Amino acid sequence: MLDSKTMKPKNTPPKPKMDWKLFLQQYGGLLALLVLFVFNAIFTPNFLSMQTLNINLTQVATIVIVGVGMTLVIATGGIDLSVGSLMAIAGALAPMIFMSDGLKDNPLGILLAFVLPVLAAAALGLFNGLLVSKFELQPIIATLVLFIAGRGIAQVLTNGNLQTFSNPSFQYIGLGKVLGLPFQVILMVLIVALAAWVMRRTVLGRSILSVGGNEKAARLSGIPAQRVKYAVYAISGLLAGIAGLITIAINSASDANQVGQNMELDAIAAVAVGGTLLEGGKATIVGTLIGALIIQLIRFTLLAKGVPDSVALIVKAGIIVGAVALQRSRRA
């Protein structure tokens, strides 16, 4: 029947209202990134130039690469504080290889300088996984071991000295360009795409989320939780090794005291802002990319407006607190 006043069917259920809170929880990061981009495009001179865009992308590339590994670890309910130190170890090993007497100016030396340091970082990441899974140490304690000792290992390898070099073949990973885009940015995109595919389409991805959501239930259902943890910590180490090579390639030098400094904090911040639950059980690789870009653009925006970098660090801390608070609201 029709209502005589409105000429609409009686007892029609009201249209569901837009749940803005849920919308912001799901798409807030992407919306914030869009707002920052539009703001800078309008108010920051030369922001849309290829030079400025490339600068922002190259500054965020290593954070994203390390952040991808951190996302996988956190998705299992863990944490990896050692990534910065593993970057330093990989960065210390590479010049020792391609500048050694037998391999200097030899293509084999360049190949080994790419492969061996990354494998060494992956092996040390596997050691973290062993401490967490086999010996059942708390992840924050297990990875604190290499957070401290790893930096010392890098310093011992280099005798505490700065290693400077000029090797275009090796430095292509940090300074090369493909069709005007920095090679490290292309590498970052490939790593993000591969990790996102693994999480969505493979048994490993589903196992990671199961272990992080309820490890006991995952074990009872036949998921090899130990091997899953070995895998994510090894991957985290491997990606940290790649980031370490990119860092020294850009700087034309390897400094064991500086390579990877505070990288673990930047990676965790990107993961948290990107929407991955810090308690495990959920992971969003693309969210980590978005989170890293948000942090980078906020820092860039503040610096472009003359705000000191120290203030930018305070703002970044506030963003992390807000992201964690939003996670709590979402769980509630």
Side-chain angles (χ1 to χ4, degrees), residues 200-237:
R200 285 181 174 271
R201 302 293 182 182
T202 68
V203 173
L204 175 60
R206 292 190 290 272
S207 298
I208 289 172
L209 298 181
S210 297
V211 171
N214 188 325
E215 183 173 345
K216 185 176 180 180
R219 291 178 183 274
L220 291 174
S221 64
I223 293 174
Q226 276 195 351
R227 281 185 284 174
V228 169
K229 289 184 178 181
Y230 293 158
V232 295
Y233 281 98
I235 292 170
S236 180

Side-chain angles (χ1 to χ4, degrees), residues 14-227:
K15 292 182 179 180
K17 294 182 179 180
M18 179 69 173
D19 189 341
W20 288 104
K21 186 176 181 180
L22 180 61
F23 177 83
L24 290 175
Q25 288 173 348
Q26 292 180 336
Y27 302 104
L30 187 58
L31 182 61
L33 180 61
L34 180 61
V35 169
L36 283 167
F37 187 88
V38 172
F39 176 86
N40 281 287
I42 296 173
F43 297 107
T44 303
N46 302 317
F47 175 73
L48 295 179
S49 67
M50 283 300 297
Q51 181 180 7
T52 302
L53 292 175
N54 282 346
I55 288 173
N56 278 292
L57 288 172
T58 52
Q59 288 181 348
V60 84
T62 51
I63 297 175
V64 173
I65 291 172
V66 175
V68 167
M70 188 70 74
T71 303
L72 302 182
V73 170
I74 289 177
T76 64
I79 199 79
D80 190 352
L81 300 181
S82 69
V83 288
S85 297
L86 298 187
M87 286 177 63
I89 291 174
L93 285 173
M96 294 175 62
I97 296 171
F98 68 74
M99 291 196 304
S100 62
D101 292 335
L103 295 173
K104 195 171 184 179
D105 299 323
N106 188 326
L108 178 61
I110 301 299
L111 177 62
L112 292 176
F114 281 128
V115 175
L116 295 182
V118 172
L119 290 180
L124 291 172
L126 184 62
F127 172 74
N128 284 333
L130 182 68
L131 293 181
V132 171
S133 185
K134 188 72 173 178
F135 294 96
E136 298 183 348
L137 291 181
Q138 289 289 335
I140 195 170
I141 300 300
T143 58
L144 188 63
V145 172
L146 279 177
F147 171 82
I148 299 171
R151 186 73 57 179
I153 292 171
Q155 291 169 345
V156 168
L157 289 172
T158 61
N159 292 320
N161 298 322
L162 178 70
Q163 298 182 95
T164 60
F165 53 84
S166 177
N167 190 312
S169 298
F170 174 80
Q171 290 181 263
Y172 189 84
I173 192 173
L175 300 176
K177 289 189 176 183
V178 178
L179 300 176
L181 283 174
F183 178 76
Q184 59 174 297
V185 174
I186 295 174
L187 183 60
M188 173 193 76
V189 172
L190 291 175
I191 289 172
V192 168
L194 178 60
W197 176 80
V198 167
M199 292 304 297
R200 285 181 174 271
R201 302 293 182 182
T202 68
V203 173
L204 175 60
R206 292 190 290 272
S207 298
I208 289 172
L209 298 181
S210 297
V211 171
N214 188 325
E215 183 173 345
K216 185 176 180 180
R219 291 178 183 274
L220 291 174
S221 64
I223 293 174
Q226 276 195 351
R227 281 185 284 174

